[in-house]
Amino acid sequence: MSDPVSIVSSLAATAFVAVAGKNADPIVRPSDRADAQINGVLPLAKSLGRNPREVAEELVSKLNLEGTCSKVEIAGPGFINLTFDDGFLLRELQKALTSERLGVGAAEVSRRIVVDYSAPNVAKEMHVGHLRGTVIGDALVRMLQFVGHTVIRENHIGDWGTPFGMLIEHLLDVGETSAADELSLGDLNGFYKAARAKFDADDTFKERARLRVVSLQGGDSETLRLWRILVAESTRYFNTVYQRLGVLLTDDDLAGESKYNDLLPKVVERLRDKGILEESDGAEVVFPPGFLNRDNEPLPMIIRKGDGGYNYATTDLACVLDRIERLQVSLMLYVVGSPQAQHFQMLDAVCRMAGWMGDTDEAVHVAFGSVLGSDRKMLKSRDGDTVKLVELIDEAIDRAAAAVANKNPELSESERANVARMIGIGAIKYADLSTDRIKDYIFDWDRMLAFEGNTAPYLQYAHARICSIFRRAGVDRGALRGGDIAITHPAERALVIRLLQFDTAVGETIERYSPHRLCTYIYDLATDFTAFYENCPVLKAETDELRESRLRLADTTALVINRALGLLGIESPEVM
RNA sequence: GCCCGCGUAGCUCAGUGGAUAGAGCGUCUGCCUCCGGAGCAGAAGGUCGCAAGUUCGAUUCUUGCCGCGGGCGCCA
């Protein structure tokens, strides 16, 4: 904990106990009238039936802020305005600097957590719809790991179900080798569409597909061999996308639906043993209370279809069993689009009815909105198709390369390519991460690649320029660390306070699984650095001491930007 | 019909039970021989969808309504 607001808050809490005789939230918040303000006096006075200003005075007398605040004043009806002591801020900054995580505290309790994200479908193209889930999930994984949790990534790919009948038959028609080539090249849409077209147009093909599904589910070894080709080629393709995108997912994280096949009968069995499985319209279902259908009748979660087959609900239940009983996790994050909200509510309800999840187990639907075009409709390519993720990546890098060539023509070709990659990918990711995930967001190339405003290029540029200060100074950043930092200007002070808020920013981001909070923080930090850089000459500082102090502030800022962007899965170029 | 989410400046978006609601872009007026303009200073622009309620205090919480999007039994 390095945020002065948190530190002062806990000090205030003890004073509140002294005055109130019980725990009371001091409600300490950052303030624009001082560094922080204590808002908890008014509600406390109300509950004590006392005059607020009187209570405020008593509180101030019991508040030991020696060494943390240089000024404490009561204002208005009973607010207490606090001004932090500069020495205190600088001590905290030094502590943060020498800490492992730049002041960010470890989680109070380290948990085992599954993060379920990305989830593309085998033999189907990855498109913009997969972008958000992949990027948000990856950022959450990085942050949770950062604060000390044990994170298990799970990529729940769609590798099972009726479409595989037609896909396998199409594979046979095309020939295994050329089909594999087609898939590994990434022409998944073409493959899927061709299969689909035949399925729709040709009754004998449809029959073959139907029979193939049966033998797939029956475990026919030849069919499984063919199925594995589809899965292997698809996942190989997914991996190339993940690598280009710079996300953590690998084959080790694959947890396709097929993986849970053996568990499905057990799910049914255990629900039946629990006495909550019912028969309805020929299907075996569970009715979690409170869910109604169109006609205001109880809405079931279908465990086993009328034809004896299983569906996604069963698989998801099996997943929960596996995660809780085998992986021993207590928290499951589902980074999945918001349209599936009701499904996850029912899933949670059924797991609790079944007793699989207890009071300490949590399943959180980390829901996110859709990616829209400028017309506010689902983003589509010109021909009305979904936009392929790889094409999006290509275009981002192309556009970034053009911007870099324009901004810094001096860069060598290979440097430019590398920087363009970092900027392009960063821009896409940041655009996705920087707005509240629950809302739909409007995809706009010009905005996300702008060097002004709350964008990745702006933040990356801020980082690169700080690096350039050191190149120009001819100073080794590492060698500088540990030395004195001074506050001689309000802009330096504001920057120090902001640097200390990194802890809170990460904490709030994790608490709400909302990466945009961290984005806002980095942007504020960059803005504060700009004000500092504008007002406080660094290389031309009046004295060597001041120059070094300011270089240290620049260094710290760059470290935090780099680390924070890293937590979002975004790289920080040193030149651009 | 029922349920869920969203509705903040012209546009894209932050934000909060507290004392004058913020940013970027766009618009307008100035400024700077600046460590790479990520420029700087200022102006205009908002009944925080509408209406009640809870509260000392609501844009934030509750309810109703309006608008938009999504979901609502054998797809995932």
Side-chain angles (χ1 to χ4, degrees), chain A residues 58-356:
Chain A
E58 190 184 335
L59 259 161
V60 168
S61 73
K62 298 204 167 150
L63 210 48
N64 183 12
L65 295 174
E66 194 63 38
T68 54
C69 288
S70 56
K71 196 162 135 196
V72 178
E73 30 175 32
I74 300 167
F79 299 108
I80 301 175
N81 291 341
L82 306 173
T83 303
F84 300 133
D85 179 75
D86 287 0
F88 163 62
L89 294 174
L90 291 170
R91 282 194 303 279
E92 289 302 318
L93 185 65
Q94 291 292 359
K95 267 197 258 175
L97 261 168
T98 51
S99 76
E100 204 179 334
R101 288 178 292 263
L102 296 171
V104 176
E108 285 173 34
V109 186
S110 172
R111 304 176 80 175
R112 284 174 68 79
I113 302 169
V114 158
V115 182
D116 179 330
Y117 68 111
S118 194
N121 291 312
V122 163
K124 272 182 125 175
E125 194 66 48
M126 290 188 77
H127 54 86
V128 275
H130 296 106
L131 181 63
R132 288 202 97 180
T134 303
V135 168
I136 292 169
D138 208 60
L140 293 175
V141 167
R142 291 170 193 265
M143 283 184 260
L144 291 167
Q145 279 175 343
F146 183 61
V147 300
H149 296 294
T150 301
V151 181
I152 299 161
R153 297 183 293 268
E154 282 195 359
N155 189 2
H156 205 61
I157 60 170
D159 66 355
W160 202 252
T162 47
F164 284 89
M166 73 178 192
L167 291 168
I168 290 170
E169 287 303 322
H170 180 58
L171 175 77
L172 288 170
D173 287 358
V174 176
E176 287 177 36
T177 320
S178 58
D181 287 349
E182 189 179 345
L183 288 168
S184 61
L185 279 173
D187 189 13
L188 272 56
N189 274 352
F191 188 89
Y192 190 93
K193 277 183 178 168
R196 182 84 225 176
K198 273 195 278 182
F199 185 86
D200 290 338
D202 181 346
D203 280 346
T204 56
F205 182 83
K206 191 180 278 187
E207 179 59 13
R208 277 166 57 199
R210 198 187 62 76
L211 292 172
R212 188 58 76 176
V213 174
V214 173
S215 54
L216 178 66
Q217 285 170 341
D220 171 63
S221 63
E222 173 63 7
T223 302
L224 283 172
R225 188 185 66 80
L226 296 166
W227 169 76
R228 280 192 204 99
I229 293 172
L230 289 174
V231 175
E233 293 305 328
S234 297
T235 52
R236 184 191 307 185
Y237 173 68
F238 298 155
N239 286 338
T240 65
V241 176
Y242 292 143
Q243 273 165 27
R244 295 194 67 198
L245 212 44
V247 298
L248 301 167
L249 292 167
T250 69
D251 281 348
D252 294 341
D253 308 313
L254 289 173
E257 293 166 56
S258 62
K259 187 182 154 189
Y260 301 92
N261 282 345
D262 295 344
L263 262 173
L264 300 179
K266 188 181 274 180
V267 167
V268 175
E269 199 179 307
R270 289 184 59 171
L271 292 172
R272 184 178 290 122
D273 289 350
K274 195 74 191 173
I276 58 179
L277 196 66
E278 300 181 39
E279 209 221 278
S280 176
D281 295 343
E284 297 191 88
V285 308
V286 176
F287 287 102
F291 294 91
L292 299 174
N293 70 11
R294 230 178 261 283
D295 304 313
N296 275 325
E297 293 156 354
L299 180 68
M301 178 161 244
I302 292 168
I303 310 300
R304 195 164 191 200
K305 299 190 286 184
D307 67 3
Y310 302 101
N311 62 12
Y312 70 107
T314 327
T315 310
D316 279 353
L317 286 165
C319 272
V320 174
L321 268 185
D322 184 61
R323 290 165 181 172
I324 290 195
E325 298 185 357
R326 182 178 66 87
L327 296 172
Q328 302 273 311
V329 303
S330 63
L331 174 60
M332 295 168 274
L333 301 183
Y334 292 92
V335 186
V336 179
S338 54
Q340 293 197 53
Q342 182 177 257
H343 168 66
F344 286 112
Q345 281 170 15
M346 294 179 80
L347 183 67
D348 190 85
V350 170
C351 288
R352 290 184 192 283
M353 285 170 80
W356 298 349

Side-chain angles (χ1 to χ4, degrees), chain A residues 483-509:
Chain A
D484 284 346
I485 295 173
I487 290 175
T488 65
H489 187 283
E492 289 174 319
R493 195 168 183 284
L495 180 60
V496 170
I497 291 175
R498 184 73 68 188
L499 287 165
L500 291 173
Q501 287 168 350
F502 185 33
D503 179 31
T504 302
V506 172
E508 286 180 351
T509 299

Side-chain angles (χ1 to χ4, degrees), chain A residues 385-455:
Chain A
D385 260 355
T386 53
V387 180
K388 290 172 73 170
L389 195 43
V390 279
E391 287 171 359
L392 212 67
I393 293 171
D394 287 340
E395 182 161 359
I397 295 174
D398 286 349
R399 284 174 180 260
V404 173
N406 183 40
K407 196 138 192 108
N408 190 353
E410 318 275 297
L411 282 183
S412 73
E413 205 167 309
S414 66
E415 270 180 315
R416 185 167 68 218
N418 193 36
V419 169
R421 181 186 58 77
M422 294 192 235
I423 296 176
I425 299 294
I428 293 181
K429 286 185 169 181
Y430 193 85
D432 227 323
L433 293 167
S434 59
T435 70
D436 192 353
R437 63 177 162 76
I438 200 67
K439 294 179 182 173
D440 293 345
Y441 103 93
I442 296 176
F443 193 93
D444 183 331
W445 284 118
D446 292 333
R447 209 186 308 279
M448 74 174 73
L449 281 156
F451 283 74
E452 301 89 40
N454 190 10
T455 69

